[in-house]
Amino acid sequence: VPATLRHSEMVTNFVPADEFLQYLQAMQHMDDGGIEPSIDATLWSMDGSYPFTWTPGSQKVIILMTDEIAQTITGQNVAQVNLYAIENGYQIFVFALPEHHASFLQMVRGEQDRLYTPMANSETVFQQIKQIFEDLCIGE
């Protein structure tokens, strides 16, 4: 399944976890894209700007991974993303450096437990993502 690049973010089709980890590893070899419009990319994932659709009745979960603070190239802000997510039934989680968590807090409903810090290897990150889905599917 091909990945699509837009600005400096990666968009994949829905793929198995091991294939997604391969995409993450490939991203490490890309040149820096400058501003990472994480605010915009999150909104675009919800509003139909990307070439994939959510199945009606599906649980809509977005996991944003970045090494930058929350940024935009369109003038959107994290409060707007949060409002859109709530109004349209999306769950948002963010993997970011601890010093950047504050810039994303409002995007994740002000809930600290939706903010993660990526660990040293892909297996640890995979386990963190797995825990998010287990909590959503089993915990709710």
Side-chain angles (χ1 to χ4, degrees):
V1 179
T4 302
L5 297 177
R6 180 171 174 172
H7 301 289
S8 61
E9 77 268 5
M10 174 191 72
V11 178
T12 71
N13 288 325
F14 297 106
V15 296
D18 58 341
E19 191 173 335
F20 180 68
L21 290 175
Q22 291 174 4
Y23 285 128
L24 289 180
Q25 290 170 341
M27 289 291 291
Q28 294 174 358
H29 303 291
M30 293 181 61
D31 293 332
D32 183 359
I35 291 177
E36 292 184 8
S38 53
I39 294 170
D40 308 320
T42 305
L43 187 59
W44 295 332
S45 295
M46 297 184 288
D47 72 5
S49 294
Y50 287 132
F52 64 79
T53 57
W54 299 87
T55 304
S58 65
Q59 192 169 15
K60 302 171 190 170
V61 179
I62 296 173
I63 300 175
L64 171 68
M65 297 179 167
T66 183
D67 60 355
E68 300 280 337
I69 61 169
Q71 298 175 57
T72 182
I73 58 172
T74 64
Q76 303 294 323
N77 63 51
V78 291
Q80 292 167 307
V81 172
N82 178 52
L83 183 60
Y84 191 95
I86 291 170
E87 289 176 350
N88 293 281
Y90 289 86
Q91 303 283 337
I92 300 175
F93 297 85
V94 175
F95 280 76
L97 300 172
E99 58 268 27
H100 300 157
H101 281 191
S103 71
F104 291 102
L105 188 58
Q106 199 171 6
M107 182 187 288
V108 296
R109 303 178 185 180
E111 298 176 15
Q112 288 281 352
D113 62 345
R114 291 173 176 258
L115 295 170
Y116 289 80
T117 300
M119 299 299 175
N121 61 56
S122 60
E123 178 61 27
T124 304
V125 172
F126 173 76
Q127 290 301 324
Q128 290 173 309
I129 293 171
K130 182 175 179 275
Q131 187 62 51
I132 289 170
F133 284 102
E134 286 176 353
D135 289 348
L136 286 171
C137 296
I138 299 169
E140 291 188 355

